Amino acid sequence: MSMLHKQAPLGRGAGVLLPVASLPSAHGIGTFGEEAYRFVDFLQAAGQRYWQVLPLGPTSYGDSPYQSFSAFAGNPYFIDLDTFVEEGLLTPEEVNAPDWGNNPEFVDYAKIYQNRFAVLHKAFQRSNFRQSADYRTFCSSNEEWLDDYSLYMAIKMHFGAHEWLKWPEDIRMNEPKAVEGFRLLLQDEIDFWKFCQYQFFRQWYKLKAYANVRGVRIIGDIPIYVSLDSADVWRHPSLFQLDKQRRPTAVSGVPPDNFSATGQLWGNPLYHWEHMEQDGFAWWKKRMAFSAKLYDIVRIDHFIGMVRYYAIPYGEPTAMYGEWRHSPGEALVRAISSVMGDSHIIAEDLGCVVPEVYQLRDEAGYPGMKILQFAFNDTSKNGNLPCHYTANSVVYSGTHDNETLKGFFAHQPRRALHFACDYLHVKKREHLPAACICAAYESVADTAMIQMQDLLGLGNEARTNYPATIGNNWRWRLQRGQVTEALAVQLHDLCELYARLPEAASTDQPKKGPSAEKVPETEKIQKSSNDKI
């Protein structure tokens, strides 16, 4: 058996966690349009090396980007409609007429779902994309997943958006005659979904190139599991733990933890690891090679699942009564590492971790994660305290699954607050969020990632996700004017002070404004929202 290839360190730097959906736009949800380019400009001016965008796949029930109709496809919501106006496929009136929601601070997913596809259909009908050599190349290069996904979505919409388990028996079971019949019946709709994917990737790779040229690398997440309601499970049932009727025998989740007293019942089908191992994990290789092209750095969510996984009997209402089982571990990681090229992997190693997880992570050279919100339980032995970090790690103020820093410290017990104040050298609770950001930057961890909400000093009204809940998640959006020149200057100063500037940016410091002069670093972050860019 060949040696496990060890990944090189990421290099010292800092970045911002902000989902694409959270960008400003006039059409209800963030897109790959002008505001995305403006945000990249902000990151460059702020000396940031990374932008973490979370998964980019199409969202299904619950609006979570971690539950997608495909492990490969992109979210059509992110296609910029103004680009279609510029290209003559839509008129300004057509993109502005729908009701995209009446509150620019939050995504109204119901209205997006009701209106977005009708507008995209108009652009599809007016486009001559089928005659484009670029489109034909895209289709041939992505044929293996694109044909399955487009067919799946066309059939799904034909049956009222129901998941495949509720389809008629012949097409649910993938009988060849039924599959070919629907290919003929729904050819135009299949082409629509291919058109959406073509436009998504055309716009995404243009934005990614813009970021890369400016020294900003993209961190993208992939959930370890795929959704039951997906083309992957429907077309490749042998890769998953399903019964003869293709219903799951057990599903994914995690046992009770800090996030939920009853655990988290994710409900994804589990992999049939023995079957996958027989062909050298070919599906995983394809998935990771594709992700390595889509992102510069891939954060594997629930990396623990590569060593062991929690199996919950199908039909259980909570995650309390599952059992731990073994995953392939090193054999799987070796297969993944072989296709990553120049892209890197971050291991999300939070939760119920066993020593084998850390050993595999370190042998592969993948950085693990530290969460500052988990650090202040009044004991100096807590591994999330910066004094315990190693260089090859990524420190977060909090992830998309956590509260904002302001919201977190607002309700901590007195003893924990005293400990945090002592550790971070501040006297007042309201100074703790800014002190956490500085602590992340000054730590030895190679990579420091801060949620945009924390940089803006927002409370839990801006929280992204409440794990183990459905509804009211993934909705918060950045507003025009919230990203300021003062904030860019202050972050640049922090990057320079703690040696986190990209090499190209170290000699190209943005001009300082008066508010950045002789202000303590912890106060600078708090004052950042006054001067609008």
Side-chain angles (χ1 to χ4, degrees):
M1 187 176 286
S2 61
M3 293 283 291
L4 180 60
H5 173 73
K6 191 164 187 175
Q7 175 179 282
L10 287 175
R12 193 166 173 82
V16 177
L17 193 165
L18 181 75
V20 171
S22 296
L23 289 166
S25 86
H27 307 127
I29 194 169
T31 72
F32 300 145
E34 179 184 359
E35 292 293 341
Y37 288 84
R38 285 170 59 85
F39 188 69
V40 170
D41 291 341
F42 162 76
L43 293 173
Q44 181 188 26
Q48 302 296 291
R49 192 187 291 260
Y50 305 109
W51 177 15
Q52 185 167 351
V53 297
L54 301 187
L56 293 177
T59 50
S60 60
Y61 178 71
D63 309 311
S64 169
Y66 293 89
Q67 296 284 353
S68 180
F69 298 131
S70 168
F72 298 85
N75 193 338
Y77 292 167
F78 298 159
I79 298 171
D80 179 50
L81 300 181
D82 289 327
T83 298
F84 285 165
V85 174
E86 294 171 5
E87 294 172 350
L89 298 179
L90 295 171
T91 67
E93 292 75 20
E94 287 171 330
V95 299
N96 293 325
D99 180 3
W100 300 117
N102 56 13
N103 186 346
E105 294 183 19
F106 298 102
V107 178
D108 188 329
Y109 282 100
K111 291 180 178 177
I112 299 294
Y113 178 78
Q114 292 163 5
N115 295 313
R116 196 78 172 195
F117 295 113
V119 175
L120 289 173
H121 261 288
K122 290 180 180 178
F124 160 72
Q125 291 160 1
R126 294 168 187 168
S127 174
N128 62 352
F129 67 98
R130 293 182 183 88
Q131 282 70 54
S132 165
D134 186 49
Y135 171 74
R136 291 194 294 271
T137 299
F138 169 78
C139 288
S140 62
S141 300
N142 297 279
E143 179 180 11
E144 195 164 2
W145 68 265
L146 181 64
D147 286 359
D148 288 346
Y149 165 76
S150 301
L151 174 63
Y152 183 78
M153 293 305 297
I155 298 174
K156 182 180 177 66
M157 294 300 107
H158 179 75
F159 289 118
H162 288 303
E163 63 179 353
W164 63 274
L165 284 172
K166 296 179 180 177
W167 297 353
E169 183 76 2
D170 56 352
I171 190 61
R172 182 177 72 79
M173 296 296 288
N174 255 301
E175 293 179 8
K177 185 176 180 181
V179 170
E180 289 310 309
F182 277 102
R183 283 193 197 278
L184 292 173
L185 176 67
L186 302 175
Q187 187 58 62
D188 195 57
E189 190 68 4
I190 291 170
D191 283 348
F192 166 72
W193 292 105
K194 288 185 178 181
F195 166 81
C196 288
Q197 290 306 300
Y198 170 62
Q199 296 295 344
F200 172 94
F201 285 102
R202 185 170 73 100
Q203 291 188 10
W204 169 247
Y205 283 124
K206 183 179 178 182
L207 174 61
K208 181 177 179 293
Y210 184 89
N212 289 166
V213 166
R214 283 151 183 81
V216 176
R217 302 175 71 191
I218 304 295
I219 302 176
D221 290 25
I222 64 163
I224 189 170
Y225 298 118
V226 299
S227 174
L228 178 60
D229 185 10
S230 70
D232 308 277
V233 182
W234 175 61
R235 288 293 278 170
H236 305 286
S238 64
L239 299 179
F240 303 91
Q241 296 182 28
L242 309 177
D243 63 20
K244 290 182 179 179
Q245 293 302 311
R246 300 191 177 175
R247 290 180 172 83
T249 56
V251 294
S252 65
V254 291
D257 58 13
N258 290 335
F259 291 123
S260 173
T262 59
Q264 296 181 47
L265 177 62
W266 298 337
N268 308 76
L270 298 167
Y271 295 114
H272 194 312
W273 287 121
E274 293 83 1
H275 183 93
M276 285 188 159
E277 198 159 9
Q278 289 174 5
D279 65 4
F281 306 101
W283 182 87
W284 266 97
K285 285 183 176 180
K286 291 169 187 172
R287 184 189 189 190
M288 294 305 296
F290 188 85
S291 298
K293 193 173 155 188
L294 195 63
Y295 311 114
D296 300 302
I297 301 157
V298 181
R299 193 193 78 126
I300 300 177
D301 194 58
H302 196 59
F303 180 79
I304 299 163
M306 301 214 158
V307 173
R308 64 174 190 160
Y309 65 95
Y310 193 65
I312 305 162
Y314 185 57
E316 281 288 333
T318 73
M320 297 180 69
Y321 303 109
E323 66 175 8
W324 288 104
R325 299 175 184 172
H326 292 291
S327 302
E330 184 178 341
L332 175 60
V333 170
R334 184 182 294 107
I336 286 172
S337 296
S338 70
V339 299
M340 291 304 293
D342 294 331
S343 293
H344 285 67
I345 286 173
I346 294 172
E348 187 272 279
D349 54 355
L350 309 174
C352 302
V353 183
V354 292
E356 292 84 354
V357 174
Y358 293 135
Q359 181 180 350
L360 182 60
R361 179 202 66 191
D362 293 343
E363 287 178 358
Y366 300 162
M369 290 174 53
K370 301 294 183 182
I371 309 296
L372 277 169
Q373 285 187 31
F374 296 168
F376 305 112
N377 63 350
D378 73 20
T379 170
S380 59
K381 295 180 180 180
N382 189 318
N384 283 286
L385 286 169
C387 60
H388 298 301
Y389 295 173
T390 58
N392 194 32
S393 58
V394 183
V395 54
Y396 288 80
S397 56
T399 73
H400 58 279
D401 281 335
N402 298 121
E403 300 176 79
T404 66
L405 286 172
K406 181 179 178 180
F408 172 77
F409 285 118
H411 63 81
Q412 293 307 299
R414 185 180 300 273
R415 190 172 177 182
L417 290 172
H418 283 167
F419 179 76
C421 286
D422 287 345
Y423 189 92
L424 296 170
H425 307 294
V426 298
K427 295 182 178 180
K428 295 182 179 181
R429 180 175 62 184
E430 53 265 33
H431 293 159
L432 285 170
C436 278
I437 295 171
C438 290
Y441 270 65
E442 70 180 345
S443 74
V444 299
D446 283 339
T447 310
M449 298 297 300
I450 311 297
Q451 285 197 94
M452 192 70 227
Q453 296 97 311
D454 290 335
L455 295 175
L456 297 174
L458 301 178
N460 280 343
E461 73 281 355
R463 183 170 177 171
T464 297
N465 184 47
Y466 292 80
T469 69
I470 294 178
N472 210 35
N473 291 323
W474 313 105
R475 299 181 64 230
W476 176 80
R477 296 179 65 201
L478 185 67
Q479 298 302 290
R480 289 190 178 99
Q482 282 186 303
V483 172
T484 66
E485 184 176 0
L487 179 57
V489 169
Q490 291 157 20
L491 289 176
H492 191 284
D493 286 350
L494 282 179
C495 286
E496 184 172 46
L497 182 62
Y498 297 119
R500 294 192 180 275
L501 283 179
E503 290 181 8
S506 61
T507 57
D508 187 25
Q509 183 174 350
K511 183 178 179 181
K512 293 183 179 181
S515 61
E517 299 294 337
K518 298 180 180 179
V519 178
E521 299 299 332
T522 56
E523 292 184 23
K524 284 183 179 181
I525 298 294
Q526 293 171 333
K527 293 175 185 263
S528 64
S529 62
N530 296 328
D531 299 325
K532 296 183 178 179
I533 208 163

